Amino acid sequence: MKENGTANLDLGNGNASIALPVISGTMGPDVIDIRKLHAMSGLFTYDPGFLSTASNSSEITFIDGDKGILLYRGYPIEQLATHCDFTQVCYLLINGELPDSKQKDEFDIAIKSHTMLHEQLVRFFTGFRRDAHPMAVMVGVVGALSAFYHEAMDISDASHRQESALRLIAKLPTIAAMAYKYNIGQPFVYPRNNLSFSENFLHMMFSTPGEDYKVNPVIARALDRILILHADHEQNASTSTVRLAGSSGANPFACISAGIACLWGPAHGGANEACLNMLEEIGDVSRIDEYINRAKNKDDNYRLMGFGHRVYKNLDPRALILRETCHEVLNELGLQNDRLFKLALQLEKIALEDEYFISKKLYPNVDFYSGIVQRALGIPTIMFTAIFAMARTVGWVAQWSEMISDPAYKIGRPRQLYTGPSMREVPETLHK
Ligand code: CMC
C-alpha cells in the first residue's frame, strides 16, 4: 500500500478544498483515503451498498470484474481449479502460499483430526423440525460451536485463531451432511478420514448403514472444483458480514454463523437454489419468453436467478469454468438430455442474445451453472447453499484472521444520512 498523490475535494460556497491522499494497492483501482474527511470538514460520505467504497485492504483475493479476472493470492482461478485440490486452495488462502507436498500432507492430517463433532453437539440437530432448511440448522449449529471450545478462543492468540480456522473448515462438511441426513430422516454418517475432503462429504451425504457406498471419482472431482471456485470472493456481503461481526471481537464461530445467515439470501449464495427452483417453475422451453419478459418489465420485481453480478460486468470466470464442468459431468453421467439442463441451455442462449441483458451486462453467473452441476451430481437443491457455505468458510476464516492480525483494525461502525423527523417535543396531551 503506498500513497500516490492527492485528490482535491471542492467543498463549494467559498470554502477551501480539501486534499485527500490517494492510495495504490498492487492491482486494481486506487482509492481516496477519506478517513480524516469528517475531522477535516464535518462531512460524511454517502455510499449505500458500498458501490464506490473499499471497506478494508486485503492481500487475499483480487477481482477485475470488467476483464473477468479472479485471483487467489495472485494465482488465476482457472489454474487453481485445474491443477489443485480444495485443501491446497484452503492452505493457500489461509497461509498465503501453495503448500509443498509435506505441508499439504500435514495440513490434510490437521483438517482430518477435526472432522468429528462433539457428541453433545450432535444432539443439537434433534431440536430442529425435520423439515428445517439445512441453512437454518447450519446457522444454529455453527454458532453453537463456540460453546465447545472455550480453551482455544482467545482471538489475540494466533495459534487459537489457526485452531479455530481448522475446526471450522473441517466440521462444516460434517454439519452440512448431518443437516441433510436429519432432514430426510436417515441416521447420521460419521466422517471417514481415509477419504479426501470432497469424497468424505459425499460419503457422509450418501452412504447408509444398509449398503456400501463407493464414491464416484467424477463426482468427487466436480464437487472439489465447485468448492475451489466458491472458496473466496473478496469483500462480498457474507465476508463483509464476517468481518463486521469479527470487528467487535466476537468469537470466530459466531462470526461464521453470521456469514452463513447472510449467504443464505437469494441475492447472494441462495441464488443457486433459487435458480434451480426457477428452472423447475419455468418447466418448459415454450415458457422461457414469458419469464424473460417478466425479468425485463420495469413494473415487475421479478429477476432471472443466476444472472447478473455486482462486480462482474463481463463473464464471471468461475461461471466459464463451471460451464465446462457442467458439460463434462452431464456427458460423463449420460444426462445430456436432462429436461432442466436443456431448458437451462436455452435460457442461457436467449439471455445472452437479448438486448436487455446485453446492455445491462447481465451474464449467467456462477450460481447458474453450479446449481445445474450439483443437481447432476445428485445433490438435492436444498443443499446447494450449504455446500457454498462449506466452501466459503475457508475464505471467511482467512479474511477474519487477516483482519484480527492487523494491529490497526478497528470496530466497523458505518455512519448514516439521517432523514427522520427533526427534534420535537412529546405533546402535552400525552404527558403522564
Ligand atoms: N434479472 C433481470 N434484471 C436484472 C437482474 C436479473 N437477474 N439483475 C440485475 N438486473 C437489472 C436491474 O433490474 C437493474 O435494472 P435498472 O438499471 O433498469 O434498474 C440493473 O440490472 C442493475 O441491477 P442492480 O440490482 O442495481 O445490480 P446489483 O449490482 O445491485 O445486483 C445482483 C447484483 C447479483 C444482486 C443482481 O444481478 C441479482 O439480483 N441477480 C439475481 C440473483 C443472483 O443470481 N445472485 C447471485 C450473484 S453471484 C453469487 C455471489 O457472488 O454471491
Side-chain angles (χ1 to χ4, degrees):
M1 204 156 85
K2 65 171 189 322
E3 268 198 41
N4 188 12
T6 53
N8 291 319
L9 180 65
D10 186 353
L11 298 176
N13 294 334
N15 292 316
S17 71
I18 292 180
L20 296 163
V22 172
I23 303 176
S24 299
T26 40
M27 293 172 82
D30 290 351
V31 299
I32 303 172
D33 180 352
I34 57 166
R35 281 175 290 184
K36 298 209 175 113
L37 177 67
H38 182 244
M40 290 163 83
S41 67
L43 295 173
F44 292 142
T45 55
Y46 180 61
D47 187 16
F50 293 92
L51 295 177
S52 299
T53 300
S55 54
N56 54 272
S57 63
S58 177
E59 298 179 354
I60 301 174
T61 293
F62 175 77
I63 302 173
D64 183 328
D66 292 324
K67 296 195 182 125
I69 294 173
L70 169 60
L71 311 176
Y72 293 165
R73 301 280 190 184
Y75 294 108
I77 191 67
E78 295 81 357
Q79 293 183 24
L80 294 170
T82 310
H83 303 303
C84 299
D85 72 13
F86 180 62
T87 57
Q88 277 171 298
V89 171
C90 290
Y91 185 99
L92 171 70
L93 286 169
I94 291 176
N95 298 301
E97 296 298 335
L98 281 166
D100 60 28
S101 61
K102 182 165 173 280
Q103 288 165 329
K104 156 90 168 123
D105 289 346
E106 286 168 1
F107 187 73
D108 282 348
I109 290 169
I111 294 278
K112 286 175 179 179
S113 70
H114 287 297
T115 49
M116 280 182 54
L117 300 188
H118 191 294
E119 216 30 49
Q120 209 61 27
L121 188 64
V122 174
R123 297 193 191 172
F124 274 56
F125 288 83
T126 54
F128 287 91
R129 283 171 49 140
R130 285 277 175 191
D131 61 357
H133 193 285
M135 287 295 278
V137 177
M138 301 233 322
V139 170
V141 176
V142 172
L145 284 171
S146 52
F148 289 79
Y149 301 107
H150 306 286
E151 80 296 347
M153 279 202 315
D154 176 0
I155 61 164
S156 63
D157 182 328
S159 68
H160 285 199
R161 291 201 298 274
Q162 177 79 1
E163 190 82 352
S164 300
L166 292 175
R167 282 193 166 122
L168 279 157
I169 295 166
K171 291 186 198 305
L172 256 286
T174 315
I175 294 171
M178 285 185 173
Y180 173 60
K181 287 294 195 189
Y182 184 70
N183 179 279
I184 59 169
Q186 287 188 3
F188 295 140
V189 175
Y190 285 71
R192 288 274 296 276
N193 290 342
N194 59 337
L195 299 173
S196 74
F197 192 91
S198 295
E199 288 169 346
N200 179 44
F201 176 67
L202 291 166
H203 158 76
M204 291 189 291
M205 280 279 292
F206 296 120
S207 69
T208 58
E211 280 173 24
D212 287 339
Y213 174 78
K214 205 165 163 351
V215 179
N216 177 335
V218 175
I219 294 183
R221 179 63 198 145
L223 177 64
D224 216 63
R225 190 169 268 196
I226 289 175
L227 298 182
I228 292 171
L229 297 179
H230 287 83
D232 195 44
H233 212 228
E234 52 118 304
Q235 309 312 319
N236 56 83
S238 57
T239 302
S240 300
T241 301
V242 170
R243 278 188 179 257
L244 193 57
S247 76
S248 73
N251 75 70
F253 306 105
C255 297
I256 301 308
S257 168
I260 295 171
C262 177
L263 185 75
W264 193 6
H268 191 10
N272 48 21
E273 180 175 347
C275 178
L276 240 279
N277 290 338
M278 172 191 77
L279 292 175
E280 289 283 8
E281 190 188 322
I282 298 175
D284 191 79
V285 176
S286 62
R287 297 187 64 205
I288 290 180
D289 282 350
E290 182 194 323
Y291 282 82
I292 295 258
N293 289 337
R294 278 191 67 191
K296 287 158 58 172
N297 183 352
K298 274 231 162 277
D299 301 324
D300 191 334
N301 287 335
Y302 183 78
R303 288 186 171 200
L304 277 192
M305 287 292 127
F307 285 82
H309 199 278
R310 168 62 62 81
V311 179
Y312 294 114
K313 301 304 175 193
N314 197 327
L315 267 171
D316 175 343
R318 304 168 302 170
L320 279 174
I321 301 167
L322 265 195
R323 187 176 195 278
E324 209 179 277
T325 305
C326 191
H327 286 276
E328 278 166 21
V329 164
L330 289 156
N331 283 337
E332 186 77 34
L333 301 177
L335 297 171
Q336 309 91 315
N337 293 322
D338 177 78
R339 179 181 59 92
L340 282 197
F341 178 54
K342 280 183 147 178
L343 181 68
L345 287 191
Q346 190 61 17
L347 183 65
E348 175 202 47
K349 183 168 177 294
I350 293 174
L352 285 174
E353 288 167 358
D354 190 289
E355 184 46 32
Y356 173 91
F357 288 86
I358 294 170
S359 63
K360 292 190 187 298
K361 301 184 173 173
L362 298 171
Y363 295 97
N365 58 44
V366 68
D367 288 319
F368 183 74
Y369 300 105
S370 79
I372 302 167
V373 176
Q374 290 186 64
R375 182 171 177 276
L377 301 185
I379 293 170
T381 315
I382 52 159
M383 284 302 290
F384 290 0
T385 318
I387 289 173
F388 191 162
M390 222 168 92
R392 186 55 58 83
T393 294
V394 61
W396 290 330
V397 294
Q399 301 264 355
W400 167 81
S401 197
E402 179 180 65
M403 176 183 73
I404 303 291
S405 47
D406 177 354
Y409 95 88
K410 285 183 182 305
I411 186 168
R413 182 28 172 120
R415 308 307 293 250
Q416 65 167 8
L417 174 66
Y418 176 69
T419 55
S422 306
M423 190 153 74
R424 50 185 171 163
E425 305 285 335
V426 174
E428 265 184 37
T429 49
L430 296 178
H431 288 192
K432 285 213 169 100

